[in-house]
Amino acid sequence: MPDVKTILTQPINRPKLSLTIYFIAWKSILLLVALTSPGSGYDTSTTLISESSDATGGSSSPLEAFVGKLSTKLVRWDAIYFTQIAQRGYLFEQEWAFGWGFTRLLAFVGRGISYAGLVGSTWPEAVAGIAIAHICHLLSVFMLYNLSKMVLQPSLDGKAAKMSFISACLHIISPAGMFLSAPYAESPFCLLQFSGYYFYAMSGQAHIRDAPGFRDLYVITAGCLLGLATTLRSNGLMGGLIFAYDAVQNTMTLFCKDKSIASLQKLLVTALAGSLVGLGAVAPQYLAYQEFCTSRQIGESRAWCSSLVPSIYAWVQSHYWSVPKVRGSEIMLIINRNAGFLRYWTVSNIPLFILAGPMLLLMARSTLWAWVELPKPVEINSDDKKTISRFSRNTPREFNKATTHALVRRFSLPQAALAVSALAVYHVQIITRLSSAYPVWYWWLAFTMVENHKRDAISKGFNLPMITIRWIVMYVMIQGVLFASFLPPA
């Protein structure tokens, strides 16, 4: 049995156990916040759906009543769509805006729960979503810890263990908050994203060991995982920027430096991995096209079917997510008023930009750290095996710095793209939950915490990491109450 005092005073000695204890404690607090939040909110959809689900059953046990109460509090906003679609499939056109991969996962697990009779007549899709969220969140905490150790250990060996543990702890209290406990795609998306990054990092190690077969396998596996993540959330497509960056470098190497079969193979494998990420976005669009455009009678197909690039997702965003404007007796439909380039930039949305500001600044600052401030290694030719052998033998620390530097830079690309998209195109406030799947800002904050502790910055009266953590905790608590009460923003 581990010593409780050791876990509390030196948690880094038993990192996985300590992280599990912290995770359980934090989730318990969040669930208590949800259960004690007042009222059903201005929208009672969840109550109506849960009552309909329970109508076929008899009296419920205390456990079923508790699960039903928790489901009612956590199935809010988009979670209503996710669970409904999982229950009876895609019925309406606008429902295709909600991640196909996640609704299929919910449906599969929900059927398993229903067949096993685990919760009686309680809403199985809601229970499935809550269970998936918690299990995937815990697994993503472990995966981020493993990823951090792999990426940071070579260059920051003295700090890597602390930084990895702190990064995993930060992911536990992520500003995504209740969205990592509710039937949303955020938790499984984090798990797939971190897993994809982990296998990509493994490919770098295989390249160093001169094992091209394993390197290619790891790259393709990373592409598969990031592609699966994209079926859950469309912003997963930004993970393809890692492979796009590599493709440009590999193309330049092939045409300017090394015109070998090995270089061509590396380029083709990178292109295949990037294509798998794109497939995660295209596959659901293809299924929708088959349903609405090819399986109907002539004249019954939808307007978006004849577009140059027929995308049901783009159509739903522009046609359904719009704002009606009344002019006399005429209702004018302002297409896509709140979604699109700079269309969210209105005076009434200033509070939402203020709300998203801290997270956007964190992501921007950590991206700057990755490209400008991270200790830069001595330049070496990574395609020259003789140079690699000599360099790794004579100056291993500098060679390992090259590995860390390259990986952190690449992983910062999707993060930077997400921050820019949120600022210019998205409903900006959702950056607080989307950011949970991007590791670089965790690493920068952990690095700053370790450096501040080393310099005893607390005595100077300003400790940026602690201020940031206090903001995250305060934000998550307030967000949790509002979310469970079906109140904006969400």
Side-chain angles (χ1 to χ4, degrees):
M1 286 288 294
D3 183 4
V4 176
K5 183 178 179 181
T6 301
I7 294 176
L8 294 176
T9 58
Q10 297 178 317
I12 199 170
N13 292 340
R14 297 294 296 272
K16 297 294 178 67
L17 179 59
S18 299
L19 289 171
T20 302
I21 293 173
Y22 295 166
F23 179 87
I24 293 172
W26 179 249
K27 287 296 185 181
S28 299
I29 294 172
L30 285 186
L31 294 182
L32 182 62
V33 167
L35 288 170
T36 56
S37 295
S40 58
Y42 69 87
D43 191 325
T44 59
S45 303
T46 305
T47 305
L48 295 173
I49 296 171
S50 61
E51 287 175 354
S52 174
S53 177
D54 292 341
T56 57
S59 59
S60 60
S61 67
L63 176 60
E64 290 175 359
F66 170 79
V67 172
K69 172 72 171 178
L70 185 62
S71 298
T72 302
K73 288 295 185 179
L74 292 183
V75 180
R76 303 297 204 188
W77 300 100
D78 292 357
I80 294 177
Y81 285 92
F82 285 127
T83 52
Q84 277 286 84
I85 295 168
Q87 188 179 63
R88 44 95 170 130
Y90 286 90
L91 186 60
F92 303 108
E93 187 178 52
Q94 62 267 33
E95 292 176 341
W96 283 87
F98 299 92
W100 178 87
F102 184 58
T103 60
R104 297 309 87 203
L105 177 62
L106 275 185
F108 177 78
V109 178
R111 282 194 296 268
I113 290 175
S114 182
Y115 292 153
L118 296 179
V119 290
S121 61
T122 305
W123 195 358
E125 291 78 18
V127 176
I130 295 169
I132 289 170
H134 285 80
I135 293 171
C136 289
H137 188 193
L138 179 60
L139 293 177
S140 67
V141 169
F142 294 153
M143 183 55 69
L144 178 59
Y145 176 78
N146 293 334
L147 171 66
S148 302
K149 283 195 71 175
M150 177 178 292
V151 172
L152 303 175
Q153 185 70 41
S155 181
L156 302 165
D157 48 16
K159 307 171 186 174
K162 288 183 180 179
M163 286 181 61
S164 300
F165 186 78
I166 292 172
S167 298
C169 289
L170 290 171
H171 184 53
I172 292 175
I173 63 167
S174 164
M178 205 67 78
F179 291 94
L180 294 172
S181 298
Y184 269 72
E186 267 65 19
S187 288
F189 180 81
C190 288
L191 178 59
L192 289 171
Q193 182 108 319
F194 293 154
S195 299
Y197 286 4
Y198 181 83
F199 277 95
Y200 180 84
M202 289 281 287
S203 73
Q205 287 196 352
H207 180 67
I208 294 171
R209 295 195 305 267
D210 193 22
F214 283 105
R215 179 200 65 206
D216 294 346
L217 178 62
Y218 291 143
V219 170
I220 293 172
T221 302
C224 287
L225 290 168
L226 294 176
L228 288 173
T230 305
T231 68
L232 303 182
R233 289 207 57 91
S234 60
N235 57 287
L237 193 61
M238 297 174 185
L241 290 174
I242 297 171
F243 302 111
Y245 183 88
D246 282 348
V248 172
Q249 286 202 331
N250 293 340
T251 300
M252 294 176 63
T253 298
L254 179 64
F255 286 99
C256 303
K257 297 179 181 179
D258 183 9
K259 300 179 180 180
S260 64
I261 297 297
S263 294
L264 177 61
Q265 177 182 332
K266 190 176 180 181
L267 175 60
L268 293 176
V269 168
T270 301
L272 174 60
S275 299
L276 290 172
V277 179
L279 184 62
V282 172
Q285 303 294 315
Y286 174 77
L287 294 175
Y289 184 85
Q290 290 292 105
E291 178 174 342
F292 289 97
C293 303
T294 63
S295 61
R296 300 193 175 196
Q297 298 293 329
I298 297 176
E300 293 183 356
S301 62
R302 301 292 292 150
W304 60 270
C305 296
S306 58
S307 300
L308 180 63
V309 181
S311 170
I312 192 170
Y313 183 77
W315 168 257
V316 168
Q317 290 289 328
S318 64
H319 186 71
Y320 291 100
W321 298 170
S322 53
V323 179
K325 180 180 179 182
V326 178
R327 182 184 298 170
S329 60
E330 180 182 301
I331 295 179
M332 303 294 295
L333 195 62
I334 310 301
I335 299 299
N336 210 20
R337 182 177 179 180
N338 285 334
F341 183 66
L342 300 185
R343 294 193 177 189
Y344 210 58
W345 286 42
T346 63
V347 173
S348 61
N349 287 333
I350 288 177
L352 297 177
F353 279 89
I354 295 174
L355 186 70
M359 199 65 247
L360 290 172
L361 289 174
L362 268 178
M363 297 177 81
R365 184 65 183 84
S366 56
T367 301
L368 180 67
W369 170 74
W371 284 87
V372 177
E373 299 175 12
L374 193 66
K376 194 170 183 180
V378 176
E379 293 293 333
I380 63 172
N381 182 3
S382 60
D383 295 310
D384 186 342
K385 296 178 182 178
K386 292 182 179 179
T387 302
I388 288 177
S389 177
R390 174 179 58 80
F391 212 98
S392 60
R393 181 177 65 250
N394 296 335
T395 52
R397 174 180 285 284
E398 286 301 325
F399 179 74
N400 290 333
K401 279 185 180 179
T403 305
T404 297
H405 197 266
L407 289 173
V408 174
R409 275 191 167 188
R410 282 164 172 78
F411 294 157
S412 72
L413 293 174
Q415 173 181 288
L418 178 69
V420 171
S421 298
L423 185 62
V425 181
Y426 295 170
H427 290 188
V428 69
Q429 71 272 15
I430 69 172
I431 192 64
T432 54
R433 56 186 170 98
L434 299 188
S435 61
S436 60
Y438 296 84
V440 175
W441 74 266
Y442 294 119
W443 292 339
W444 174 76
L445 194 55
F447 177 81
T448 307
M449 289 180 70
V450 172
E451 287 294 296
N452 277 11
H453 180 73
K454 182 179 177 182
R455 297 169 186 167
D456 196 24
I458 298 177
S459 62
K460 298 179 181 178
F462 181 79
N463 189 348
L464 178 60
M466 293 310 299
I467 292 174
T468 304
I469 291 173
R470 290 190 186 105
W471 167 76
I472 291 175
V473 172
M474 181 179 68
Y475 175 80
V476 169
M477 291 295 106
I478 296 173
Q479 174 224 63
V481 173
L482 294 174
F483 180 92
S485 300
F486 220 136
L487 296 171

